[in-house]
C-alpha cells in the first residue's frame, strides 16, 4: 500500500521518548531510511543495536570512542565524531584525551542516544581511559582491492603462525573488506613491544608469501597484495569494534569467527544487521570467551633473538 506525502512527512518528523532507568532518550524520525538496499530504517537500526548491546558494549566500555555519523543514511554524507556531540545529556559519560572530550560508551542509554544521532559505526580506542597499556593485540589485514577472495586464506596463515608461537587468537571480519586477528593478552606489554612483534610476524609472512602479503604502507605501491597493518595497533588509534555495524550497503557487522568458519571462506557481507544478533545467541561472544594469555615469553624470545643477531654483526 502506498504512503501519501502527508503521511510520509508526518512519519519522518515523528518522535518518541524512551525512559531507561530514569533517563530519557528521544528517538526522532524512526522511519528515516539508513540502509536503503536492506530496507533498514533508523527505528529498525536502533532495535538491532539493542540486540547487539550485550556484545558491543563490553567491546567499547571504558574506552575513548570515535563514531562515524550518517545523518542521511549510508548513501549520504558522513563525518567522524570524536568530541562528544552537544548538547550532551547528563547521563552520558565523557573522558578527555589530548584536548578531545570523548564519549565513553558504557551503557544502553548512551548507545541509544548515539544511535538516534545516526552514529552507525563505533571505533573505540585500543586501551582503556587513563591507561596507556593495550588490552589486547590486534593484527589488521587490509585488502588492496575491493573484492579480495583470498582474505580468509590470509587470515588462516596469520592464525597458523600465531599458533606456532604458542598464541591463541580470534579472527573477526572488519565488517568492510578486511579481517582483524585479535590476540587476547594479559595486560602488561606496551604498544611498542607489540608493534615490534607484529613487524616480525608481518615480515616473515611477506617473505614466505610474497604474492599474498605486503607491509608497503602506500596503497598505490601494494599491487593486489594484502597489507599486514601491524602499525594500526597503537595508542590514540582505533579499530572497528567487534559487533559494530558498518556503513556498507549490505549493513554488515564486524563479526568474530571460529577458525573452522574461516576455513570455509565466508564473505564479510555474510554477517549483517538482519542476522547478527540471531547468530550471537548461538555462538556467544567468541572474543570474551577466549581466555587472556601471557605474551611475555614470546616477547622475551624475540628480544633474545634480536640481541643474538646484533652480536653477530
Amino acid at each position: 500500500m502506498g504512503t501519501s506525502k502527508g503521511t510520509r512527512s508526518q512519519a519522518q518528523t515523528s518522535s518518541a521518548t524512551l525512559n531507561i532507568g530514569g533517563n530519557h532518550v528521544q528517538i526522532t524520525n524512526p522511519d528515516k531510511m539508513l540502509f536503503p538496499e536492506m530496507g533498514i530504517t533508523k527505528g529498525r537500526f536502533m532495535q538491532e543495536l539493542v540486540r547487539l548491546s550485550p556484545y558491543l558494549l563490553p567491546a567499547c566500555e571504558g574506552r575513548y570512542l570515535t563514531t562515524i555519523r550518517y545523518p542521511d543514511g549510508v548513501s549520504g554524507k558522513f563525518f567522524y565524531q570524536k568530541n562528544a556531540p552537544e548538547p550532551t545529556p547528563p547521563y552520558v559519560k565523557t573522558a578527555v584525551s589530548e584536548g578531545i572530550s570523548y564519549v565513553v560508551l558504557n551503557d544502553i542509554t548512551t548507545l541509544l542516544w548515539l544511535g538516534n544521532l545516526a552514529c552507525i559505526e563505533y571505533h573505540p580506542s585500543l586501551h582503556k581511559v587513563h591507561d596507556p597499556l593495550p588490552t589486547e593485540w590486534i593484527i589488521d589485514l587490509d585488502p588492496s582491492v575491493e573484492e579480495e577472495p583470498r582474505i580468509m586464506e590470509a587470515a588462516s596463515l596469520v592464525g597458523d603462525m600465531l599458533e606456532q608461537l604458542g598464541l591463541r587468537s580470534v579472527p573477526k571480519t572488519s565488517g568492510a573488506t578486511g579481517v582483524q586477528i585479535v590476540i587476547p593478552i594479559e595486560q602488561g606489554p606496551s604498544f611498542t613491544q607489540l608493534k615490534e612483534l607484529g613487524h616480525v610476524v608481518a615480515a616473515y609472512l611477506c617473505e614466505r608469501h610474497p604474492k599474498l602479503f605486503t607491509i608497503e604502507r602506500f596503497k598505490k605501491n601494494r599491487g593486489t597484495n594484502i597489507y599486514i597493518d601491524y602499525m594500526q595497533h597503537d595508542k590514540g588509534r582505533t579499530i572497528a569494534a567487534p559487533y559494530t555495524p558498518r556503513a556498507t550497503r549490505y549493513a554488515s557487522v564486524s563479526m568474530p569467527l571460529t577458525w573452522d568458519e574461516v576455513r570455509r571462506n565466508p564473505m564479510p557481507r555474510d554477517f549483517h544487521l538482519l542476522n547478527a544478533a540471531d547468530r550471537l545467541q548461538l555462538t556467544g561472544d567468541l572474543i570474551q570467551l577466549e581466555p587472556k594469555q601471557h605474551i611475555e615469553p614470546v616477547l622475551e624470545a624475540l628480544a633474545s633473538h634480536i640481541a643474538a643477531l646484533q652480536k653477530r654483526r
Side-chain angles (χ1 to χ4, degrees):
M1 178 180 280
T3 305
S4 69
K5 289 184 179 179
T7 305
R8 183 180 296 115
S9 176
Q10 184 178 7
Q12 290 183 344
T13 57
S14 64
S15 65
T17 301
L18 300 178
N19 187 326
I20 305 173
N23 296 315
H24 298 286
V25 183
Q26 189 175 26
I27 310 300
T28 57
N29 301 329
D31 295 321
K32 177 181 281 187
M33 194 62 67
L34 293 186
F35 297 88
E37 292 192 37
M38 299 292 284
I40 298 175
T41 62
K42 186 203 276 189
R44 178 64 188 273
F45 170 68
M46 294 183 70
Q47 288 175 3
E48 296 306 323
L49 276 185
V50 171
R51 299 182 69 202
L52 288 173
S53 63
Y55 311 94
L56 179 58
L57 288 175
C60 297
E61 184 179 11
R63 300 170 189 257
Y64 303 102
L65 181 70
T66 298
T67 62
I68 309 181
R69 292 176 62 179
Y70 289 77
D72 298 311
V74 298
S75 56
K77 293 181 179 179
F78 65 92
F79 60 95
Y80 287 79
Q81 183 89 59
K82 288 182 176 287
N83 272 299
E86 297 289 348
T88 306
Y91 55 78
V92 173
K93 290 182 173 59
T94 59
V96 176
S97 177
E98 298 184 355
I100 297 173
S101 181
Y102 290 91
V103 169
V104 182
L105 180 53
N106 289 345
D107 54 69
I108 185 68
T109 314
T110 303
L111 179 61
L112 288 175
W113 174 69
L114 290 169
N116 185 59
L117 295 174
C119 295
I120 287 178
E121 298 194 10
Y122 299 82
H123 297 245
S125 61
L126 297 164
H127 57 96
K128 294 293 185 83
V129 170
H130 308 313
D131 188 338
L133 296 177
T135 55
E136 62 279 302
W137 177 32
I138 299 176
I139 298 174
D140 189 16
L141 300 181
D142 185 12
S144 301
V145 296
E146 190 171 339
E147 296 287 340
E148 178 51 87
R150 304 172 299 169
I151 189 64
M152 293 298 166
E153 174 193 354
S156 289
L157 290 169
V158 175
D160 289 345
M161 183 174 178
L162 292 171
E163 188 175 8
Q164 291 171 15
L165 293 173
L167 297 174
R168 301 182 310 277
S169 58
V170 182
K172 80 174 183 75
T173 66
S174 70
T177 58
V179 169
Q180 284 124 20
I181 314 299
V182 181
I183 303 97
I185 60 170
E186 293 287 355
Q187 197 170 15
S190 67
F191 280 107
T192 298
Q193 287 175 299
L194 294 176
K195 278 194 296 182
E196 289 173 352
L197 180 56
H199 183 215
V200 170
V201 169
Y204 176 81
L205 288 167
C206 288
E207 184 178 336
R208 291 293 302 271
H209 307 278
K211 294 183 178 180
L212 180 62
F213 292 114
T214 182
I215 53 174
E216 169 58 54
R217 296 189 66 183
F218 293 102
K219 192 168 185 177
K220 64 180 182 179
N221 298 330
R222 296 177 195 166
T224 60
N225 283 18
I226 296 169
Y227 177 46
I228 306 178
D229 188 355
Y230 62 92
M231 300 288 289
Q232 182 64 18
H233 189 261
D234 203 356
K235 188 177 185 294
R237 298 190 180 185
T238 65
I239 285 179
Y243 316 110
T244 180
R246 299 302 302 269
T248 60
R249 58 189 178 87
Y250 37 88
S252 55
V253 170
S254 178
M255 185 61 67
L257 307 172
T258 67
W259 284 112
D260 284 341
E261 286 179 308
V262 167
R263 285 186 276 273
R264 293 197 288 271
N265 198 31
M267 297 288 288
R269 69 180 64 181
D270 292 342
F271 311 97
H272 50 75
L273 277 172
L274 300 182
N275 66 16
D278 289 339
R279 166 188 165 83
L280 291 170
Q281 288 181 353
L282 298 174
T283 65
D285 188 334
L286 294 176
I287 292 177
Q288 294 294 325
L289 289 171
E290 188 66 46
K292 292 184 179 293
Q293 57 205 311
H294 290 283
I295 200 171
E296 282 80 4
V298 178
L299 293 172
E300 289 167 6
L302 172 63
S304 297
H305 178 67
I306 291 174
L309 289 176
Q310 290 173 340
K311 241 182 186 180
R312 291 175 194 169
R313 289 174 182 170

